[in-house]
Amino acid sequence: WETCWFKVELSIPPAWAGREVHFVWESDGEGMVWRDAQPVQGLTKEGEKTSYILTRSLKESEPHSLTLYVELACNGLFGAGKGSMIAPPDPDRRVTLSKAELVVFNRDVYELLMDLEILLDMAQLLGEENQRSFQALYTANQMVNVCDVTDPSTFPAARELAAAIFSQRNGESQHTIHAMGHCHIDSAWLWPYEETIRKCARSWVTVVHLMENNPELTFACSQQGRLGAAGADPCAPQAQQFQWVRSRYPGLYARIQDLVAKGQFIPVGGTWVEMDGNLPSGESMVRQFLQGQRFFQEQFGRICSVFWLPDTFGYSAQLPQLMRGSGIQRFLTQKLSWNLVNSFPHHTFFWEGIDGSQVLTHFPPGDSYGMQGRVAEMLKTVKNNKDKGRVNHSAFLFGFGDGGGGPTQKMLDRMKRMRDTDGLPRVQISTPDQLFSVLEKESSQLCTWVGELFLELHNGTYTTQAQIKKGNRECERILHDVEVLSSLAVARDTAFQYPASQLQQLWRLLLLNQFHDVLPGSCIQLVVEDALQYYTEIRRAGAQLQQEAVQALCRDLLQPQACSTHSSLVLNTLSWERTEVIARPGPDGAETLALVTVPSMGYALVQEPFVPPQPVAVRKQEDGSITMENGVIAVCLDTMGRLTSLQLLDSGRSSVPDGCCANQFALFDDVPLYWDAWDVMDYHLQTRKPVTTLLKPLEITLAGGLRGSVSFSLQVGKSSTLTQEIILDAMCPYLRFLTQVEWKEAHKFLKVEFPVQVRSTNATYEIQFGHLQRPTHWNTSWDWARFEVWAHKWLDLSEHGFGVALLNDCKYGASAHGNVLSLSL
């Protein structure tokens, strides 16, 4: 991830007067041309940008000698994987500079070749039944006959033949394609955050440079898509990426601001980063929109009206409500075209969330955000459109992406020839607002999709990189607690300063880590290390802010004379009163337990903890099994720590079916077809192996009273170990499992299963600010494709009057098939 600098001294021969002169640079590393201490052009062979135009027509008054600098990165457009794009980076990778030349560019030949390319594509692709294919073929043949490659004076006559074909117009009913360039830049993926900053500069300065040579070009900059004219280019800067460029490349950022003011550079989007669409909490998603929209308002004087999220791994059913609450009524993505099982039935439709909120949604029918402006792609866009009878307009996103790059002059020139050519769809250089405005006018016949947009692929991202998942959940909780306690402190103590700026900084760190290749775990190790470091910083700073808020909120109670040596200050940041067993230091420094009651969003000074009506009883049976009971629930565990019985005493009903064991760990093979960190395939379910190798049998660790607990250890796979403590507290209606795994397996998948004595065709899963029901059967291909799903803090299987819920503090992957609740570890 280092860069090296080349000083390039150029001397243009006087004999090239009147000629177009390019500086050509080819290497297998990404580069950037600097001129007069400013970035002017990105260079990447993979993105078909290997030249910088020095002059369109060399004049005598122009400098013939000049100095450029080229910053060359030791990585390509898609990182530096060893032997494969998604392989770990190769530390011994060598980057080669293969060409550095000063050349004369023959634009007449280029234009002639572009004409022939479009005509030949029409001839090949329109089909024998279409007379336009024959007209295109015969025109190309005439051009070859007319053109003498050794005599440039014959070129204009050949080009006139092509122009005659391109100028023959379409009828009014022809489908209209809204061409919008695109430059998807992942904030981190196969490269670290730091490299993304350079990628943004390389890509955006190239688009700005492209605008200078194509004055009709507009550029709508989204969260992760770029928009312009001659292909309205949906760029892809999220607010975070704008902030990076603003900080590191102020000259470029000033040019972007100027283009926004002129109406050429059009911000769309609305979130801080292009976050994962499933795993962030409801509050995190609100903050994504809040921070993104606030940034766009402050920097560009407007908020975004289109949510642009083309490349995340599914979309929560809560998003429509959050979009509407953020001033957004339009949504664009394309990722569901990656579905492995079912083809999504629409490209333009209304999407309805769990509260009934609706947003107009469009999937570009070309099923890609990396088109190149070719005839085949235009025809596919029309043919593939599942709603072309209801609406007559589609988006077309073109430009190199994922690693940046964006649109090229060649893409724009192709589409100029297809603007309104008989036999091809009408290609209109457009903006997101123009597209959605016309879709809204034609929306009376559109269908409505209710609920989540579930991606039938990449189900492994709910579980990959367990430490990132744990860090995200913990830091979401920490920031929640800091804000609750700080708000209470402000109400109690007018001298207390609410830590708004510190909280914004911490929130932005957390939001950055929710990017759709970081939180899902589908990134290289260097990104994981950066992410874990950010979580450490949030924990550290959050603990400090929490301590300051508590000091201000409870100053009187924290005075030495206000509390005895046996009293404890206990805080509750949740919105209901809680009675729980807590651990606190005793007079001798040893940890003691206490049963306390604390009001909602409040605190209590606990001196004499009350005694539960029934203490916890823990008993070991002759067969080695152990029973635990607290008057609310009673459980029985076998020697391997599996639940053989779980009873809710008031109901007299057992939750575990006869002959079954809950808390059963199971190991599966995990060998996906390609996307190793992303996918778990349905066939992994056929490789289930219960974990049964006991290292340390079940034993009692706390004999009862306020708390009873037992523990055991298992061997998992060939070389991993699992230790679990199972805890039952007084008056508590649930059983807690504290699980630690030392994981050393490769291509294995560990789950824990809970068969329950409940029958229901649907299980309920917590999502952002609500819940969602999914079927427990596999009746249809849509049901079966959800063999592994995501949830937040709980999933529940209930029938009338009775149910069982499985809660967690740091996991997201889950499933409920038949009567078995499963949590992916």
Side-chain angles (χ1 to χ4, degrees), residues 739-785:
T739 313
Q740 255 190 330
V741 181
E742 187 175 348
W743 186 250
K744 297 181 179 179
E745 305 306 300
H747 292 109
K748 298 293 182 182
F749 193 1
L750 180 65
K751 303 183 184 184
V752 62
E753 300 168 343
F754 288 81
V756 295
Q757 197 156 303
V758 176
R759 178 168 176 79
S760 176
T761 55
N762 289 289
T764 306
Y765 302 79
E766 190 205 20
I767 66 169
Q768 299 85 354
F769 297 130
H771 59 265
L772 190 71
Q773 288 195 329
R774 300 183 179 109
T776 58
H777 55 75
W778 293 345
N779 280 1
T780 70
S781 60
W782 293 87
D783 303 329
W784 158 61

Side-chain angles (χ1 to χ4, degrees), residues 8-12 35 52 54 63-68 102:
V8 183
E9 294 179 337
L10 302 175
S11 181
I12 305 175
R35 185 172 184 175
Y52 168 59
L54 296 171
H64 285 47
S65 296
L66 66 156
T67 299
L68 304 175
L102 197 60

Side-chain angles (χ1 to χ4, degrees), residues 554-569 605-607:
C554 307
R555 182 172 289 111
D556 295 342
L557 295 176
L558 293 172
Q559 298 301 322
Q561 66 274 17
C563 56
S564 72
T565 56
H566 300 295
S567 63
S568 299
L569 179 66
L605 192 64
V606 179
Q607 293 180 333

